[in-house]
Amino acid sequence: MASNPSVSPWRVIAVQAAVGLVLAALVALMSGSAKMAWSALYGAATVVVPGALMARGMTSRLSSLTPAVSAVSVMLWEFGKIAVSVAMLMLAPKVVPDLSWPALLGTLVVCIKVYWVALSWRGRKKS
């Protein structure tokens, strides 16, 4: 296990949230538009909120009882994560006034890519 350390899902969620906040601030500064900034924040939330729900479910004691329970738990929480993400995207035009889809989707994609950064954290060796 020491040669292949795990990364806390909460750390990934925290970094996704931080990246989303930074992107929303950059969008606000570059565009000067509050609607673009809110759209970017909502895009980040569309990744962070479902990810936090899944992390909460996956770190519960129930999901680590047996390998079979763990496998079913992963599938159920992943399904829930996808359902919440889709629901949030469908509600976006109602929740965010004057929604900017490019700002929302751009931030969403960048926040999703934080998972790849987490994989690189796993590969680092401490000297």
Side-chain angles (χ1 to χ4, degrees):
M1 193 69 164
S3 64
N4 195 11
S6 63
V7 176
S8 166
W10 295 109
R11 183 176 177 191
V12 175
I13 298 298
V15 173
Q16 285 177 323
V19 166
L21 289 171
V22 168
L23 286 173
L26 287 173
V27 166
L29 287 173
M30 292 173 65
S31 71
S33 169
K35 78 173 191 163
M36 299 277 280
W38 283 112
S39 297
L41 276 175
Y42 194 83
T46 304
V47 174
V48 172
V49 170
L53 290 173
M54 184 168 179
R56 172 66 182 105
M58 294 305 304
T59 57
S60 71
R61 276 188 270 162
L62 180 64
S63 68
S64 61
L65 291 176
T66 66
V69 171
S70 291
V72 171
S73 179
V74 167
M75 289 188 304
L76 290 175
W77 283 106
E78 185 63 30
F79 178 73
K81 178 181 166 183
I82 292 168
V84 170
S85 296
V86 169
M88 287 181 74
L89 286 172
M90 290 174 66
L91 290 171
K94 292 179 180 16
V95 174
V96 181
D98 298 322
L99 179 69
S100 167
W101 281 105
L104 183 148
L105 294 174
T107 305
L108 181 142
V109 167
V110 172
C111 287
I112 287 173
K113 295 300 179 185
V114 168
Y115 281 114
W116 291 103
V117 175
L119 288 175
S120 72
W121 291 333
R122 275 183 52 175
R124 290 188 183 161
K125 293 182 181 178
K126 294 181 182 179
S127 37

